[in-house]
Amino acid sequence: MKPLVITYLYPAEMNLYGDRGNIIALQQRCRWRGIDTRLDEVHLGANYDFSASDIIFGGGGQDKGQELVAKDLTRHGTSIKSAAERGVPMLLVCGLYQLFGRRFTTTDGLDIPGIGLFEAETTGGAKRLIGNISVESEYGTLIGFENHSGLTKLDSGQKALGRVIKGAGNDGSSGQEGAVFKNVIGTYLHGPILPKNPSLADFLIMAALSHKSGRDLKLEPLDDSLELLAAETASRRPR
């Protein structure tokens, strides 16, 4: 099989709180299983063929970074949404999670358009939501760290990633965290999220392999004792 292509959106502008660690986790878990990977980075102004992507990842950034990438992301919006419809797995954290919704309105009233993959909108809040977070999801209990002032509201038909056990999540009041569309996952969990949540990392890899091969595949199990110990330790930390 050809290498699994991991596409990293705007690594220079959207990379906070260890987000690149998600790329490292995906590559390492593939390497342990003998799966070759290739990392493509998409930078501002560059042309890119998203039909080559097997996994798409984007991280968080400052409002200024979001403003910079929003126009470029809109240019790729049709191609990215087409990939999502085909079942290509994606993970979007914080800033790019917000821009995969319809819009992000900053605290200064600036409207930054998103690509509308998620039925959601985000507005800047007066208070930052910071701390450790636990979320019950179909991928198990997810452990991470959140640091955002954006308040994301999901439309009534938009599926959330999970239910907040500890922390604020999308808006600090709904009890919802993140959003899901097919194999696309949006979340506020930094940390990075994948090293401490191997079941979520393996979901993305398995979905990518199945999409690439056109058949359902199972992954060889790995010894996740260290990853699960890290998650358990993080879950006991105070908010």
Side-chain angles (χ1 to χ4, degrees):
M1 185 181 289
K2 292 180 179 178
L4 211 61
V5 177
I6 302 172
T7 303
Y8 189 175
L9 300 173
Y10 312 112
E13 294 81 12
M14 308 300 284
N15 178 32
L16 286 178
Y17 313 120
D19 284 343
R20 183 175 281 274
N22 294 307
I23 298 291
I24 296 170
L26 288 170
Q27 290 177 310
Q28 185 59 51
R29 294 185 74 79
C30 285
R31 192 175 298 120
W32 282 331
R33 294 180 167 108
I35 302 168
D36 292 332
T37 62
R38 187 186 89 203
L39 179 62
D40 289 353
E41 296 187 349
V42 178
H43 296 279
L44 287 174
N47 292 321
Y48 185 74
D49 179 7
F50 283 90
S51 67
S53 301
D54 296 310
I55 301 176
I56 296 175
F57 171 75
Q62 304 291 338
D63 289 1
K64 187 176 179 181
Q66 287 178 277
E67 189 179 350
L68 279 174
V69 305
K71 199 169 184 179
D72 205 64
L73 182 67
T74 302
R75 186 169 61 91
H76 294 301
T78 300
S79 298
I80 291 173
K81 288 197 279 190
S82 176
E85 290 286 354
R86 293 195 306 273
V88 173
M90 308 181 195
L91 176 65
L92 296 316
V93 179
C94 198
L96 276 174
Y97 163 42
Q98 295 169 349
L99 294 183
F100 268 54
R102 287 189 294 269
R103 66 174 55 82
F104 169 45
T105 304
T106 70
T107 52
D108 297 328
L110 176 66
D111 254 353
I112 303 176
I115 64 171
L117 192 148
F118 295 128
E119 295 177 351
E121 296 189 2
T122 302
T123 56
K127 177 184 175 185
R128 291 201 73 80
L129 306 174
I130 305 173
N132 295 302
I133 177 170
S134 304
V135 177
E136 195 59 46
S137 81
E138 62 185 273
Y139 312 100
T141 301
L142 302 176
I143 306 298
F145 172 79
E146 61 182 336
N147 187 349
H148 58 103
S149 60
L151 305 176
T152 299
K153 298 286 187 185
L154 306 184
D155 289 0
S156 58
Q158 173 62 61
K159 180 182 177 182
L161 171 61
R163 180 180 61 83
V164 175
I165 301 171
K166 178 176 72 175
N170 280 343
D171 59 3
S173 61
S174 66
Q176 295 176 322
E177 210 302 303
V180 175
F181 173 77
K182 293 195 171 183
N183 291 329
V184 182
I185 295 171
T187 180
Y188 275 113
L189 271 66
H190 291 282
I193 179 174
L194 293 184
K196 291 196 291 290
N197 298 282
S199 62
L200 182 59
D202 281 356
F203 163 76
L204 295 169
I205 295 169
M206 193 163 56
L209 289 172
S210 296
H211 176 265
K212 193 176 188 71
S213 66
R215 55 197 173 94
D216 291 334
L217 297 173
K218 289 188 177 179
L219 290 177
E220 177 188 343
L222 297 175
D223 177 3
D224 288 328
S225 53
L226 279 177
E227 289 83 352
L228 297 176
L229 178 61
E232 196 274 332
T233 301
S235 71
R236 287 189 277 105
R237 289 176 182 157
R239 166 75 177 150

